[in-house]
Structure formats: structure tokens, C-alpha cells
Amino acid sequence: MTIETKICGINSAEAMAAVRDGGADFAGFIFYPPSPRYVTPEMARGLRDVAAGRVKTVAVVVDAADDEIARIVETAGVEMLQLHGKETPGRVAEVRKRFALPVMKSVAVAAPEDLDRAATYEEVADRLLFDAKPPKDRPDALPGGNALSFDWQLLAGRTWARPWMLSGGLNAGNLAEAVRISGARAVDVSSGVEDAPGVKNPAKIGALLRAARDLHPIA
Ligand SMILES: O=C(O)c1ccccc1N[C@@H]1O[C@H](COP(=O)(O)O)[C@@H](O)[C@H]1O
């Protein structure tokens, strides 16, 4: 068994081709206008076609209303929704029911109590995603995609009722340690395969996916 991989913030055909050829499991599209990785549903549809069915696509939304999610689902044809805002467990359940797609809920982690909050999503989400908390001293910080990691030790030995992904500041250089310490079986990377925010580097995507292929989840 190998580690599952998601490369997020895909906004070019070259990046999607690297994700596809490198054998990633998931590709994420950011539907959050303030992000340098933002894509429209129409752009995402074209990029999804590059993946030619070999990569599952994920829509990343932040506290999005139903009509916005509906337009993304209908136009981009994604296979999973990633809720990366302050959505409550009730809202996660509602989105999952309304759109009949698997839902992954992100939880911002900085301290042990954040994991207690994560437990409130176990019954309503199909997957959990643990990401670093955005920095408090940067009011303009994005809800995710800040190239920041958190203390992976917080996850060590914890078990969850749902599959989960590790994200936040991962790259080809720290992936092995992050997986070893946290026990992750799935990882999500965005900034770590970029040259600058929003500028994906296909060679870095390939290197990350090769690094992931050499890793195996701990039992
Ligand atoms: O990447 C973004 O711009 C973004 C915007 C809004 C919500 C989530 C976003 N990205 C998510 O952040 C993590 C990984 O970030 P990084 O590797 O530290 O850059 C990942 O889950 C993305 O989906």
C-alpha cells in the first residue's frame, strides 16, 4: 500500500499533466477568488479534461453558498468537495446531502484542542483534512495554501472514524518525516510544488509524487 496524494491549486494544463503523469490520486481546484490559485468553474472543466479520468478532481470552497457550489458541480464536474472555511458540522451534512458528493472537511490545527473540534466532523464528513492554522498576525492570510506546517506529533497515535489527509507546508523534502511522525496515509500539497504563490512547477510536482511513491503508511 502506498500513500494517497492530492496536489492542490491546479491552474494550468502543464500542472495537470504533471499530476496525471506522476500518478496523483486527486487534483484540487481553488474556487476562492482571493487566492492566487483561483480558477473559474469553466477553467476547471478544461483542466479536468487534461486529467482524462485518471485523477479525481476536488473543488475547494470556503464558506460557499449553495448556488455557488451548484455552479461549480454542474460546470466543473468534480468528484469531491473540500470545505475549507468555518463550515459547521450541520453545514457539512447539508452540503453532502444536497450535492450527493463525498465531502472532505478541513480542520485548522495548532493545538490539541483543535483535534477535539475535528472529532465533531467525524459523523458528517467522508474525510478529514488537517491543515495548519493561518497566521493570526496576517489578516490577509488565506484560509489555506500558506506553506505553513503544524506540529505533526499532535496526530501521532490518534485514530479517526474517517480517512484523513495531512496538509500544510509539505514538500518533497519533508514528506517522509511528516508521514512518519503523523502516521498519515494521504497527503495534500500545494505551495510545496510551486515557484511562487499560484505558480505550479511541473518538475516539483513530479518530484513530490516520486517521493510519495517511496513511502508506505505505518501499520
Ligand atoms: O491554496 C489556496 O490558495 C487555498 C485557498 C483557500 C482555501 C484552501 C487553500 N488551499 C489548501 O491549503 C492546503 C495546503 O496548503 P500548502 O501546501 O501549505 O500550500 C491544501 O489543503 C489546499 O487545498
Side-chain angles (χ1 to χ4, degrees), residues 39-83:
V39 289
T40 63
E42 290 75 13
M43 286 161 72
R45 175 75 220 189
L47 294 171
R48 181 176 182 261
D49 291 345
V50 174
R54 285 161 54 189
V55 187
K56 293 190 196 78
T57 54
V58 181
V60 181
V61 294
V62 179
D63 299 316
D66 281 355
D67 58 348
E68 189 185 340
I69 301 177
R71 207 170 88 72
I72 291 166
V73 169
E74 282 157 22
T75 307
V78 293
E79 278 108 358
M80 192 191 294
L81 296 170
Q82 176 178 327
L83 306 186

Side-chain angles (χ1 to χ4, degrees), residues 19-182:
V19 165
R20 177 199 64 205
D21 297 345
D25 298 284
F26 301 95
F29 300 124
I30 305 290
F31 296 101
Y32 180 64
S35 170
R37 307 169 182 102
Y38 172 71
V39 289
T40 63
E42 290 75 13
M43 286 161 72
R45 175 75 220 189
L47 294 171
R48 181 176 182 261
D49 291 345
V50 174
R54 285 161 54 189
V55 187
K56 293 190 196 78
T57 54
V58 181
V60 181
V61 294
V62 179
D63 299 316
D66 281 355
D67 58 348
E68 189 185 340
I69 301 177
R71 207 170 88 72
I72 291 166
V73 169
E74 282 157 22
T75 307
V78 293
E79 278 108 358
M80 192 191 294
L81 296 170
Q82 176 178 327
L83 306 186
H84 213 105
K86 295 194 182 332
E87 299 86 1
T88 62
R91 177 63 180 150
V92 173
E94 193 177 79
V95 168
R96 187 171 182 268
K97 187 166 175 215
R98 183 172 296 241
F99 294 101
L101 283 174
V103 170
M104 176 155 72
K105 176 67 188 104
S106 79
V107 179
V109 181
E113 51 272 25
D114 296 319
L115 297 182
D116 298 338
R117 206 164 43 80
T120 66
Y121 292 100
E122 278 183 298
E123 294 304 313
V124 291
D126 296 277
R127 284 181 183 251
L128 301 173
L129 172 74
F130 298 113
D131 192 10
K133 243 180 205 170
K136 278 202 192 98
D137 57 347
R138 271 180 43 204
D140 61 330
L142 295 165
N146 294 307
L148 291 175
S149 49
F150 63 93
D151 181 4
W152 302 316
Q153 195 71 48
L154 291 172
L155 289 167
R158 290 281 303 238
T159 54
W160 300 92
R162 302 287 180 183
W164 57 275
M165 280 193 190
L166 178 67
S167 76
L170 300 175
N171 54 54
N174 66 11
L175 197 68
E177 196 189 359
V179 164
R180 181 181 62 76
I181 294 175
S182 67

